[in-house]
Amino acid sequence: MDKLKEECGVFGAYSINNNNVNNYIYMGLMSLQHRGQESAGIAICDTSGPLGNICHHKDMGLVNEVFDQEILENLSGNLGVGHVRYSTSGASNAVNAQPLVMKYYKGTLAMAHNGNIINADNLKHELEKEGSIFHTTTDSEVIACLLAKNRTKVSCVEEAIQIVASQIIGGYALIITSPRKLIGVRDPLGLKPLCLGKKDDCYFLSSESCAIKSIGGEFIRDIEPGEIITITKDSINSDYSLVSEKRAHCIFEYIYFSRLDSVIDGISVYDARINGGRALAKSYPVEADLVTGVPDSGLAAAIGYSKESDIPFSLVFHKNTYVGRTFIQPTQEERETAVKTKLSILDAAVKGKRIVLIDDSIVRGTTIASLIKHLKEAGAKEVHVRISSPPFLYPCYYGTDVPSSSELIAHKYTTDEIRKHIGADSLGYMKIEDFDQMTGDLPLCKACFCNDYPL
Amino acid sequence: MDKLKEECGVFGAYSINNNNVNNYIYMGLMSLQHRGQESAGIAICDTSGPLGNICHHKDMGLVNEVFDQEILENLSGNLGVGHVRYSTSGASNAVNAQPLVMKYYKGTLAMAHNGNIINADNLKHELEKEGSIFHTTTDSEVIACLLAKNRTKVSCVEEAIQIVASQIIGGYALIITSPRKLIGVRDPLGLKPLCLGKKDDCYFLSSESCAIKSIGGEFIRDIEPGEIITITKDSINSDYSLVSEKRAHCIFEYIYFSRLDSVIDGISVYDARINGGRALAKSYPVEADLVTGVPDSGLAAAIGYSKESDIPFSLVFHKNTYVGRTFIQPTQEERETAVKTKLSILDAAVKGKRIVLIDDSIVRGTTIASLIKHLKEAGAKEVHVRISSPPFLYPCYYGTDVPSSSELIAHKYTTDEIRKHIGADSLGYMKIEDFDQMTGDLPLCKACFCNDYPL
Amino acid sequence: MDKLKEECGVFGAYSINNNNVNNYIYMGLMSLQHRGQESAGIAICDTSGPLGNICHHKDMGLVNEVFDQEILENLSGNLGVGHVRYSTSGASNAVNAQPLVMKYYKGTLAMAHNGNIINADNLKHELEKEGSIFHTTTDSEVIACLLAKNRTKVSCVEEAIQIVASQIIGGYALIITSPRKLIGVRDPLGLKPLCLGKKDDCYFLSSESCAIKSIGGEFIRDIEPGEIITITKDSINSDYSLVSEKRAHCIFEYIYFSRLDSVIDGISVYDARINGGRALAKSYPVEADLVTGVPDSGLAAAIGYSKESDIPFSLVFHKNTYVGRTFIQPTQEERETAVKTKLSILDAAVKGKRIVLIDDSIVRGTTIASLIKHLKEAGAKEVHVRISSPPFLYPCYYGTDVPSSSELIAHKYTTDEIRKHIGADSLGYMKIEDFDQMTGDLPLCKACFCNDYPL
Amino acid sequence: MDKLKEECGVFGAYSINNNNVNNYIYMGLMSLQHRGQESAGIAICDTSGPLGNICHHKDMGLVNEVFDQEILENLSGNLGVGHVRYSTSGASNAVNAQPLVMKYYKGTLAMAHNGNIINADNLKHELEKEGSIFHTTTDSEVIACLLAKNRTKVSCVEEAIQIVASQIIGGYALIITSPRKLIGVRDPLGLKPLCLGKKDDCYFLSSESCAIKSIGGEFIRDIEPGEIITITKDSINSDYSLVSEKRAHCIFEYIYFSRLDSVIDGISVYDARINGGRALAKSYPVEADLVTGVPDSGLAAAIGYSKESDIPFSLVFHKNTYVGRTFIQPTQEERETAVKTKLSILDAAVKGKRIVLIDDSIVRGTTIASLIKHLKEAGAKEVHVRISSPPFLYPCYYGTDVPSSSELIAHKYTTDEIRKHIGADSLGYMKIEDFDQMTGDLPLCKACFCNDYPL
């Protein structure tokens, strides 16, 4: 479909009493799958065994394609980290899959990384000048190299991480298993989410709280932007030396990336979307017979719009969940058929109706145009489109995969031109000033809407 | 999950002007995937080529697992039939996958079959006594054998089909490609659905109208119960000799099996479910803060309940669509975790709320019990369960896979005992006498509720 | 390479004391792999379990590609039959793989078949006229159909087999497992080999004695042409009603098909080839420095030529055994390179030498021409070719895959023209009258050399 | 089987006129497959394209399992290197497969390596101390790291290689493709073979001459021990700065590792083995009826013994070439059956005969004991064993995989005890002083026989 793409999800687990964490990581990744469908991997070790004995498995594909019962059982240990990936930096292939497992001066280390390092190329060039070699094209390997370099100069891995974190610029959440420690790092602006949880004797670090919840764990808190958290058998330590006052949380975590049942930096994604829908209803009221959302990301905002406007919510699309990544695109037919195969109109619900249709964003505009066309063909009298984000105008340098400006419909047309182009009877984009209705006083990165980059 | 299982979906296509129908069948099967996820297959031939040259491919798995671009391109021709299968009769293995392709006296024939033949064992035994051999354990092979036998005695395949249809007893929809004909047969009671559609020069037969719609085709009409329809290059002929007055449409097509956007025997599945929800609201009103449905099959009835009761509809669950068939079940954890991984509660929507929860049926009761428990843990004040079908008490002999009576919760307990068992604050099952609110005066098979078998 | 192709190998096993025979069949097939590399299969049942419960596995590929440890372990039972196949009748695909497993009036039956039935099409047509259907294009299914038909008329399966055997015309070896019997049938002329063996409590039927020997078993005797042998828990019975005086054993079993360590109809294949080489030396003596054979089938005859002529045997080729079926043919290079990759010349052994080169047959002549060219390039002074079979002139109707006459070099050219064509300094073919030096007074089928078909 | 294992084979190709070399490398690796069956890989680039654009594919398995037509076609370019591997250093898994492809200061580099670096662990430790990270456990990555380090200090890659070659100690043959150069390095002692060839505009570097010959190329010369050869578009340069007088060629290249049709350091492997057989005949004459060899490595020496002794050579074993790596070992049977399945006795050739049996080495003695037992069971009167190498007593540190001393039969028993143990009537090992009959005055490494290590 016609959507922005998040880069990655990360999940780490450490059982203090040496219980096996492989199932926790597997299930955690299942619940972070929406953050990346390109590759998946798990690296795991046994802290009671010989130092540095990490086993890992990673490959292209979804979590349940990459892992089967046998593979998972062979990944046994009480400390591990997992990763799901959609690539932005680094080409799409198996060698770039994460976690990255490497041997270095102080043993073996596994690392999973979500985000983008703006100055990765410069750092890589410096390292190459000193004789480093690189096997992948990922930012993660650059971080690993820096870590290994600096580890030789300091007395513990946390110190090395602190030095590296002060060198890298960008949005990132990192989980590292150094032989007997589970370490999490979050970028100082808080662009990428990372949180801490617990179940029995086991600690978790996760991109989102939903993964902790799905395995029956308890959410403890978000990792603070700039915090380096180190979990050992005996203690949990936090290093705040990189914490600064400036914050810039990514608004798209609330609008689209994160799962509806996650709570990110104290704000429920569900509430944020409901309130986003309410804000749209206040800013762009319209007389209509029903409100609906484009499945699945527009549904919560549609409920919010319905609550605020008292226009009843209704189902209007049937989503065929069997149409997956490997669906063979029809060659002799136009693109619209593919949309129809994935999202089918419930004619009986639509005929003669004035519809408010909520979606989270418009990137190229092709999908929404198809849907409106099909709704009208099915007898919809009016289709009023409400978008729960402002027009998307500028690229993201922090890890979100955005089409080039020339492909962004909002970059080329005015809102009214877009309305005409997609065939809507009215069109309203969320106002930037209404973000506080979604996320309160949370400091946000709004660079993609207003070209105001925090870094 | 804890659901009834439909047996199969069938889809046939015939392009009069010799265009390739492989993509139509592939996309048709994608839209019938909900009717069977165990195996998939396509058989296709070119009516302008040498007679009886059918190529086919079938295997265990979902449509998009069984077919890739290359395989699909090799299945080229203008007349074909496809099948998705969940097995009831016949063990689960590749040899039982359909369509069945066979050579017989008059050439080559492909057949796809949805349903169950009650007297298959008797017929098979009779055939064996005359020396027939069987390669599979499916009803379909019995039908094929009878067809070949009778074909030697009559002048056209339709006549043979008529004889066979008069011998077999049960619920079935059959699609057959005899070298130059596309033939559909529907059981006299109309237990299984089958309909006719068209796009440009191409005719379709399909289990459900949604598949015709999804490929941009036009729904023409349902095949009449007992009708044998034969599409040739020059004509469409219908044989009504087996049509009788007695009808008994399967109510579960409306409650659960068919897709929300299908219209079966003149009644929209969406409308039927909305009206089912309304009927529940009338029979079992309750004071509550929100109505919701168990995704995905309970959602439409929940909207109906909401419309009738004016209690607002709300989202309460997040369904993880990545949790598929190959999901590795946690071994060290209780079953509930698996439910949690698949359906996650939106805590922010639930806390302190009195909830009406709609589901389409209760089979064993395990899933609904888990969901209620999780809702209460998330802070729900009350959970009132409404089921859009009556208690399920008796086995189905017509092609629906039902657990043994000892596993059916309604077989063992009274409604109030079930309510306690699943932890609900109240429980209401759809009343049999309310079916007319869903499906009007359509004659129904209600055997599984009241032991009154039409055959 | 440029060789004739045998159709199949069959192997059956029956452990009287209910021991598992899966490993015996697997290893037996490994030793019959030279008879067919296209598909492999095993069907097996437990005679102490419920009647007719046969499990089987078959697929395209070599024995060790089709079976792995897990698959083999799941094929458990004390009575079974296996098959390796190179197809002559019946297209090359998985559905045609054997053994054929079918359900019929009297239970379940597995059948493995080596050979060709000349009147299969007529028999099939008759069966179709009576209403039979066919799932494959193999002769084996025709036999199975006839068997099922006739079984309804007689009191035991052996009787039915006797009737069927009297109807089918051709060369064949059949192994059948009827629920509690292991049955072998050999065609009345003895065109195809079949023998009986034993190890501990386990009886074997096998295409060749080498398979029995390789699993540590004891060779008992050849099955007599026309014999139907039935092994039960309590007895071994032989029906000789189809035995006739006329015999016609296939000479190519000795020249090429059978393995060097087999004994077929009382004659050691090794001895036959050694003696064939001796006969060539007597008929076509030449002054030379060394004798060698084209690996592997020409080596034994070369040893024989060496013994008779006192010209020393030498190695001249290195065969790359890693060049298998899936070797990617060079596209930009001529065919000769492929020969070179498979058979490499030992230059040091060849330079300045006069060479006698023995091969078992010349089909198209392309391979031998390449080899001679390479030998001369490597410095061979003379290359004298001796072929341990007469010129191949006529097609085989009994199960050997022969190129069309237009591709047979001996069909188009005289021996001297062939000599020039392949670049040899002299060329001698085995004389038909010398066969008695190979196989004594064994009655032979020599139809492919002299157009004198025994049927 | 019970054999020593070579580590690797390497093959590089460079087409000056920009022709595609992928087929050459593929076919070259096919001809070096005997040097390593665990993994295979090819890295290739187009020197006329953008610098450093290397594509590669490598995986566990044989060459024709790892590559298919499509994969091979996607590896397009005029400069490349391939590798087949049996691991000694570095665990057996896909990440350790070669060639190693890496990005470094000066672009991209692919490297294939045969051999073992004795001081790899020390060098690795030093690199780690300076902050290097390692993704694999191979020596090759250590060499690559050193190369990258040193490359930053010097003006061309050859200089860096020279420095690295002066640091690493061991036996090795290296092929490197720096963006526009094909570079070969051979260890100063000449422990590992490497040679140069040519076909049309294309230069080759190969472990053995057989690979050059098999693709129709012309062998030019061996790379000199210590030589660094650099092939560019315009020139071939040799750096001899590391060449020393001391040489120590591995005798096992002649006895067993190299292919019979290769010429290594001026000596034909075929001649060496023939002469080894002759030497055995002179040192250990015996009265016998026939000489034979254990296929395939003992055959040439058997021919040599036959020539010297005038005892006729005969075939005695049939080797089943279908018994490959994935053969399922019989569990209920003793090991001997596996030997029997792979090597079958030709009873007719053996009965009543006194046999001289030649093999290249005895490691554990299990295989030869089985063979002798089977020969005697088949009626052999006497079996006289001659081994074309001295008793194997000490480990190899230069890249040959040897079982631990406790498993070496010669380490535990005297020759006569071994004779009894294996059941031979007499036993003679090649005398160390007879090596000059095999390889003339070539300086040899004989460390594994006499504990005299050259490094």
Side-chain angles (χ1 to χ4, degrees), chain D residues 120-139:
Chain D
D121 281 351
N122 290 343
L123 293 167
K124 190 173 185 176
H125 195 64
E126 288 305 310
L127 287 162
E128 285 178 345
K129 271 205 262 180
E130 293 166 27
S132 286
I133 62 176
F134 290 91
H135 298 240
T136 75
T137 55
T138 62
D139 287 2

Side-chain angles (χ1 to χ4, degrees), chain A residues 53-227:
Chain A
N53 213 350
I54 294 184
C55 50
H56 71 285
H57 180 76
K58 52 188 182 180
D59 209 344
M60 305 302 282
L62 296 175
V63 176
N64 66 3
E65 293 167 348
V66 170
F67 295 96
D68 61 21
Q69 189 79 45
E70 193 188 336
I71 290 170
L72 191 59
E73 276 169 14
N74 285 333
L75 292 170
S76 169
N78 67 319
L79 171 61
V81 61
H83 191 267
V84 290
R85 176 175 188 257
Y86 172 81
S87 71
T88 50
S89 87
S92 281
N93 53 46
V95 80
N96 283 344
Q98 295 198 25
L100 192 68
V101 176
M102 60 179 204
K103 293 113 217 149
Y104 77 128
Y105 184 42
K106 288 297 180 181
T108 312
L109 182 150
M111 188 171 82
H113 165 230
N114 168 30
N116 202 47
I117 307 302
I118 299 176
N119 60 335
D121 281 351
N122 290 343
L123 293 169
K124 190 174 184 174
H125 195 64
E126 289 305 311
L127 286 164
E128 283 177 346
K129 270 206 263 182
E130 294 166 26
S132 286
I133 62 176
F134 290 92
H135 299 239
T136 75
T137 56
T138 60
D139 288 3
S140 314
E141 197 181 1
V142 177
I143 300 175
C145 260
L146 287 172
L147 213 51
K149 285 263 171 209
N150 285 291
R151 184 65 187 83
T152 63
K153 303 172 192 158
V154 296
S155 63
C156 66
V157 70
E158 295 95 313
E159 258 186 89
I161 289 171
Q162 196 187 315
I163 297 169
V164 174
S166 71
Q167 293 175 310
I168 59 179
I169 302 172
Y172 55 87
L174 273 179
I175 303 181
I176 295 166
T177 69
S178 184
R180 306 224 191 288
K181 295 170 181 169
L182 178 65
I183 302 170
V185 193
R186 194 176 175 194
D187 68 274
L189 290 175
L191 282 158
K192 299 292 164 192
L194 189 66
C195 66
L196 176 69
K198 187 173 196 285
K199 182 177 181 185
D200 305 326
D201 72 313
C202 190
Y203 286 93
F204 307 116
L205 291 172
S206 174
S207 287
E208 293 183 35
S209 64
C210 68
I212 292 167
K213 214 181 116 192
S214 79
I215 53 178
E218 170 199 358
F219 169 81
I220 299 178
R221 64 173 177 89
D222 291 288
I223 304 304
E224 205 169 319
E227 176 179 354

Side-chain angles (χ1 to χ4, degrees), chain A residues 164-389:
Chain A
V164 174
S166 71
Q167 293 175 310
I168 59 179
I169 302 172
Y172 55 87
L174 273 179
I175 303 181
I176 295 166
T177 69
S178 184
R180 306 224 191 288
K181 295 170 181 169
L182 178 65
I183 302 170
V185 193
R186 194 176 175 194
D187 68 274
L189 290 175
L191 282 158
K192 299 292 164 192
L194 189 66
C195 66
L196 176 69
K198 187 173 196 285
K199 182 177 181 185
D200 305 326
D201 72 313
C202 190
Y203 286 93
F204 307 116
L205 291 172
S206 174
S207 287
E208 293 183 35
S209 64
C210 68
I212 292 167
K213 214 181 116 192
S214 79
I215 53 178
E218 170 199 358
F219 169 81
I220 299 178
R221 64 173 177 89
D222 291 288
I223 304 304
E224 205 169 319
E227 176 179 354
I228 300 169
I229 184 168
T230 304
I231 302 167
T232 68
K233 219 158 185 96
D234 307 309
S235 64
I236 299 182
N237 287 305
S238 289
D239 176 312
Y240 296 107
S241 56
L242 295 168
V243 171
S244 80
E245 281 196 17
K246 193 173 178 193
R247 299 282 161 94
H249 299 282
C250 173
I251 182 68
F252 261 99
E253 293 289 345
Y254 298 98
I255 294 172
Y256 174 61
F257 294 148
S258 287
R259 225 170 76 168
L260 208 49
D261 56 330
S262 283
V263 176
I264 308 280
D265 289 316
I267 291 164
S268 144
V269 174
Y270 173 82
D271 281 340
R273 291 193 194 162
I274 291 285
N275 290 331
R278 284 184 183 274
L280 282 170
K282 283 183 249 171
S283 294
Y284 306 103
V286 66
E287 262 189 52
D289 301 306
L290 63 89
V291 182
T292 198
V294 178
D296 294 325
S297 52
L299 294 177
I303 298 274
Y305 196 104
S306 166
K307 281 177 198 279
E308 184 68 31
S309 65
D310 273 331
I311 304 170
F313 173 85
S314 189
L315 291 178
V316 153
F317 300 103
H318 177 270
K319 183 175 172 188
N320 187 342
T321 54
Y322 300 107
V323 177
R325 291 170 313 136
T326 56
F327 176 61
I328 301 170
Q329 295 298 340
T331 51
Q332 83 272 43
E333 297 287 317
E334 72 284 19
R335 265 241 192 109
E336 278 174 29
T337 314
V339 173
K340 237 178 195 165
T341 307
K342 188 150 186 74
L343 282 184
S344 171
I345 309 282
L346 304 173
D347 294 359
V350 163
K351 186 164 253 173
K353 297 288 165 52
R354 296 167 301 171
I355 296 170
V356 181
L357 176 63
I358 316 280
D359 203 358
D360 56 84
S361 58
I362 298 182
V363 180
R364 293 181 189 79
T366 48
T367 301
I368 192 89
S370 286
L371 294 179
I372 294 168
K373 180 162 170 268
H374 297 157
L375 285 170
K376 295 255 168 136
E377 286 168 359
K381 239 165 72 182
E382 297 169 12
V383 180
H384 302 274
V385 174
R386 301 294 178 265
I387 301 297
S388 60
S389 64

Side-chain angles (χ1 to χ4, degrees), chain D residues 11-15 19-26 41-47 50-58 67 71-83 99-101 108-111 177-179 182 202:
Chain D
F11 191 88
Y14 191 176
S15 160
N19 293 308
N20 200 341
V21 297
N22 56 4
N23 269 307
Y24 286 147
I25 300 177
Y26 172 78
I42 294 177
I44 213 159
C45 65
D46 190 341
T47 63
L51 250 186
N53 213 349
I54 294 184
C55 50
H56 72 284
H57 179 76
K58 53 188 182 179
F67 296 97
I71 290 170
L72 191 58
E73 276 167 14
N74 285 333
L75 292 170
S76 169
N78 68 320
L79 171 59
V81 62
H83 191 267
L100 192 68
V101 176
T108 310
L109 182 149
M111 188 172 82
T177 70
S178 183
L182 179 64
C202 190

Side-chain angles (χ1 to χ4, degrees), chain A residues 20 22-24 26-27 30-35 37 62 64-65 67-70 72-73 199-200 210 213-216 259-262 268 270-271 274 296 299-300 303 307 312-334 337-338 340-341 344-349, chain B residues 20 22-24 26-27 30-35 37 62 64-65 67-70 72-73 199-200 210 213-216 259-262 268 270-271 274 296 299-300 303 307 312-334 337-338 340-341 344-349:
Chain A
N20 200 341
N22 56 3
N23 269 306
Y24 285 147
Y26 173 78
M27 289 197 290
M30 286 297 306
S31 295
L32 296 175
Q33 185 80 79
H34 58 284
R35 297 184 74 87
Q37 295 94 48
L62 296 175
N64 66 3
E65 293 167 348
F67 295 96
D68 61 21
Q69 189 79 45
E70 193 188 336
L72 191 59
E73 276 169 14
K199 182 177 181 185
D200 305 326
C210 68
K213 214 181 116 192
S214 79
I215 53 178
R259 225 170 76 168
L260 208 49
D261 56 330
S262 283
S268 144
Y270 173 82
D271 281 340
I274 291 285
D296 294 325
L299 294 177
I303 298 274
K307 281 177 198 279
F313 173 85
S314 189
L315 291 178
V316 153
F317 300 103
H318 177 270
K319 183 175 172 188
N320 187 342
T321 54
Y322 300 107
V323 177
R325 291 170 313 136
T326 56
F327 176 61
I328 301 170
Q329 295 298 340
T331 51
Q332 83 272 43
E333 297 287 317
E334 72 284 19
T337 314
K340 237 178 195 165
T341 307
S344 171
I345 309 282
L346 304 173
D347 294 359
Chain B
N20 200 341
N22 56 4
N23 269 307
Y24 286 147
Y26 172 79
M27 289 197 292
M30 286 297 304
S31 295
L32 296 175
Q33 185 79 79
H34 58 285
R35 297 184 74 84
Q37 295 94 47
L62 296 174
N64 66 3
E65 293 166 347
F67 296 96
D68 62 22
Q69 190 79 45
E70 194 188 338
L72 191 59
E73 276 167 13
K199 182 178 182 184
D200 306 326
C210 68
K213 215 182 116 192
S214 79
I215 55 180
R259 227 171 74 168
L260 208 49
D261 56 330
S262 283
S268 144
Y270 172 82
D271 281 340
I274 292 286
D296 295 325
L299 293 177
I303 298 274
K307 281 178 196 279
F313 173 85
S314 188
L315 291 178
V316 152
F317 301 102
H318 177 270
K319 184 177 171 187
N320 187 342
T321 54
Y322 299 107
V323 177
R325 292 169 313 133
T326 56
F327 175 60
I328 301 170
Q329 296 297 340
T331 50
Q332 81 274 44
E333 297 289 314
E334 73 280 20
T337 314
K340 236 176 196 165
T341 307
S344 168
I345 309 283
L346 304 173
D347 295 357

